[in-house]
Amino acid sequence: MSRRLWAASSLLCAAFALASCGDMGRFQTASPAAIAAKPARAVAPSPAAEREHERILSSYGGAYDDPKLEALISKTVNRLVAASDRPDQAYKVTILNSGAVNAFALPTGQLYVTRGLIALASDTSELSSVLSHEMAHVLAKHASIREDQARQATIVTRVVTDMSNDPDLTALALAKTKLTMASFSRAQEFEADGIGVGISARAHFDPYGAARFLTSMERNAALKASKLDPRAQDFLSSHPATPERVQNAQNNARQYTSPEGGERDRETYLAAIDNIVYGEDPSEGFVRGRRFLHPKLGFTFAAPETFTLDNTAQAVIGVRDGGAQAMRFDVVRVPSEQTLGEYLNSGWMEGVDKASTEDLAINGFPAASATAHGDQWQFRVYALRFGSDVYRFIFAARQKTTESDRNARETVNSFRRLTLEETQAARPLRIKVITVQPGDTVESLSHRMSGVDRPAERFRILNGLDAHAQVKARDRVKIVVD
């Protein structure tokens, strides 16, 4: 019973990635915008591919509209297609409005790349390595195989869920299915890397771009301060940048050119990504330090000290340093005629102590709270009505302490309306490309970064600089500004 309570509340890292208790995804817009390559035969998506396309858009913030980027990607894809073994294969690339670092392909030739990945890349050859890699999955029929695997996994999930009330059994079946798919995809990655590096090299891009970008992605994932799985929604979850894979990409590149050969096209690339949105889109809610703000819906709250916040498509997740406490914030549908106390006791969460339920007012908003207990975790749950929506805070602690109670109380009490000034000031972070001046250093330039943690390390990763590299006058570099 208590283990089921934990699974129901979706506070374990695995559950965070799989569950969708709330409906935060409905805040995301999906205005499709795509870049068509030149081959005469157009991409003809199947009904299943169309459904998957819409799911991808809703999961990744819709399409990102940027004519400069679209022109760059269209030109890059055309070069890669002409250099591939199948110049008749059509592709359609959609830039996704997400700060996650991700890219993937559908069997039809529909390719997806996030603006987060585009912002991380340092030149066109690195972007071409990602696009050619995803094209290779299509050419090698990997995408079709994955589609079959995903369909089988869905069936397994449905059967196990229908047959078992034991969440441990369900989670085990899901984990085994995901592991099978992951190990299968790892074998494909090496093949796709080989094909992709060859396509990039024949298109006269620097084939070492793949190895450089794999390294950047691994460093970027390691930098994430979140105690959740930092790769839950990222490219590396299915495209692991192991040392063996980086070495394999380098070996593939050596077959085509020397390390100095091939076109990087850095200046053109930096000009195209100058002013691109970096990180989260504020219109859909965003994290700044310990605070979450949602300008469109007009509210904000602050997480406790030592908590790291992560805004996912399903919920805002917070984890305390050390992992002994966690929180989840999401939106739920509660009928207007149902009181919030009745909702907390309605059975959506097991182990609720009904005697602990109490009605509250939080900064003028009607609310209710209750406690719930498990073998290993203790819960404090709040439901708060804000306009026509009900928001839910779920706090979990391995041991109930004065500190954990205070953290929950202070977080919920910090929920309030945004002021007009705060709403107007909620601007997205952007990539700004600047020229290094005499006397500039990594440290001085990183001090010009806004809204990011560990700015010096992030500056190095964004610009492909290792731990000891220094900038030189007249170099063009990326910084993050608001």
Side-chain angles (χ1 to χ4, degrees):
M1 177 84 63
S2 59
R3 289 192 295 270
R4 293 174 68 187
L5 176 146
W6 175 245
S9 65
S10 300
L11 283 166
L12 279 176
C13 295
F16 283 152
L18 293 172
S20 181
C21 291
D23 195 22
M24 294 295 281
R26 69 189 177 89
F27 302 145
Q28 299 175 326
T29 58
S31 51
I35 308 145
K38 285 181 179 176
R41 188 172 65 81
V43 171
S46 64
E50 286 285 5
R51 289 192 296 272
E52 184 66 7
H53 175 74
E54 292 303 321
R55 187 193 67 79
I56 290 168
L57 286 174
S58 65
S59 298
Y60 284 87
Y64 183 69
D65 183 22
D66 187 319
K68 284 194 303 181
L69 276 179
E70 292 167 7
L72 173 70
I73 292 181
S74 180
K75 181 179 178 181
T76 303
V77 168
N78 290 338
R79 280 178 61 174
L80 295 171
V81 171
S84 73
D85 293 335
R86 287 280 310 280
D88 61 315
Q89 170 67 53
Y91 298 93
K92 185 170 68 172
V93 185
T94 300
I95 305 172
L96 297 169
N97 185 25
S98 170
V101 179
N102 212 341
F104 31 87
L106 296 183
T108 53
Q110 291 164 274
L111 310 182
Y112 301 86
V113 59
T114 60
R115 59 171 169 75
L117 186 147
I118 293 170
L120 180 62
S122 292
D123 55 48
T124 309
S125 74
E126 293 186 7
L127 178 64
S128 77
S129 75
V130 174
L131 294 170
S132 61
H133 177 98
E134 296 306 326
M135 290 167 58
H137 280 310
V138 176
L139 297 173
K141 307 295 185 184
H142 292 165
S144 297
I145 296 169
R146 280 183 179 173
E147 190 176 63
D148 291 340
Q149 291 279 316
R151 191 178 299 114
Q152 293 175 28
T154 301
I155 293 171
V156 170
T157 301
R158 187 180 305 120
V159 169
V160 172
T161 303
D162 289 348
M163 291 180 62
S164 174
N165 288 324
D166 185 340
D168 288 345
L169 178 61
T170 305
L172 179 62
L174 292 175
K176 286 184 175 179
T177 304
K178 289 176 73 66
L179 285 171
T180 300
M181 293 179 68
S183 61
F184 186 71
S185 68
R186 277 196 294 271
Q188 295 174 337
E189 297 312 313
F190 285 93
E191 182 182 2
D193 281 341
I195 297 171
V197 167
I199 293 173
S200 286
R202 290 192 297 274
H204 306 294
F205 288 113
D206 176 16
Y208 287 87
R212 290 197 308 275
F213 194 55
L214 283 169
T215 301
S216 292
M217 288 191 296
E218 184 70 14
R219 292 174 65 196
N220 184 66
L223 185 63
K224 280 202 170 186
S226 173
K227 305 306 177 186
L228 307 175
D229 179 2
R231 306 175 187 181
Q233 201 183 14
D234 282 2
F235 190 81
L236 292 175
S237 61
S238 59
H239 302 69
T242 60
E244 294 81 8
R245 189 172 170 217
V246 174
Q247 185 62 52
N248 185 61
Q250 291 173 333
N251 293 339
N252 286 327
R254 290 191 189 101
Q255 299 177 32
Y256 298 97
T257 184
S258 67
E260 301 304 318
E263 180 183 336
R264 293 195 181 186
D265 200 23
R266 178 173 169 82
E267 291 302 317
T268 301
Y269 188 79
L270 291 179
I273 69 169
D274 191 22
N275 208 43
I276 186 176
V277 172
Y278 181 81
E280 297 164 286
D281 183 345
S283 67
E284 300 303 332
F286 64 102
V287 172
R288 286 288 185 274
R290 294 186 299 111
R291 182 167 291 281
F292 177 74
L293 306 94
H294 204 306
K296 185 186 293 184
L297 298 178
F299 67 80
T300 182
F301 68 86
E305 294 281 355
T306 75
F307 268 61
T308 299
L309 282 184
D310 187 23
N311 183 24
T312 74
Q314 290 78 33
V316 180
I317 307 299
V319 180
R320 187 185 186 279
D321 289 350
Q325 295 179 39
M327 62 164 284
R328 175 186 175 109
F329 172 84
D330 58 19
V331 59
V332 291
R333 293 189 178 95
V334 177
S336 58
E337 65 273 12
Q338 186 178 35
T339 70
L340 296 178
E342 289 170 344
Y343 165 72
L344 292 180
N345 290 311
S346 63
W348 63 271
M349 185 177 191
E350 297 184 37
V352 173
D353 178 4
K354 294 185 178 182
S356 70
T357 305
E358 59 178 324
D359 294 323
L360 307 166
I362 295 173
N363 293 328
F365 307 115
S369 74
T371 60
H373 306 282
D375 289 342
Q376 300 181 35
W377 294 87
Q378 309 300 313
F379 299 90
R380 167 70 71 173
V381 188
Y382 293 85
L384 182 150
R385 199 179 293 277
F386 181 73
S388 60
D389 291 316
V390 171
Y391 294 98
R392 182 173 63 182
F393 287 91
I394 304 173
F395 298 90
R398 290 194 181 277
Q399 291 184 333
K400 182 181 178 183
T401 63
T402 302
E403 182 207 24
S404 65
D405 281 346
R406 183 178 66 249
N407 284 342
R409 253 190 340 268
E410 290 180 354
T411 301
V412 173
N413 287 334
S414 72
F415 184 97
R416 61 174 175 82
R417 292 186 190 277
L418 284 171
T419 65
L420 179 61
E421 291 77 14
E422 288 173 320
T423 301
Q424 293 173 338
R427 299 187 302 270
L429 298 178
R430 293 185 181 272
I431 292 289
K432 183 179 181 182
V433 178
I434 61 173
T435 301
V436 178
Q437 301 299 316
D440 283 341
T441 64
V442 168
E443 288 69 27
S444 67
L445 291 171
S446 66
H447 285 153
R448 296 171 61 179
M449 305 257 279
S450 302
V452 296
D453 60 337
R454 300 163 74 175
E457 292 174 74
R458 197 166 297 279
F459 176 86
R460 289 186 178 278
I461 293 170
L462 276 174
N463 290 286
L465 301 172
D466 64 30
H468 305 291
Q470 293 298 322
V471 294
K472 300 187 293 292
R474 294 186 296 280
D475 280 352
R476 299 281 282 168
V477 295
K478 295 177 281 183
I479 62 174
V480 179
V481 299
D482 57 15

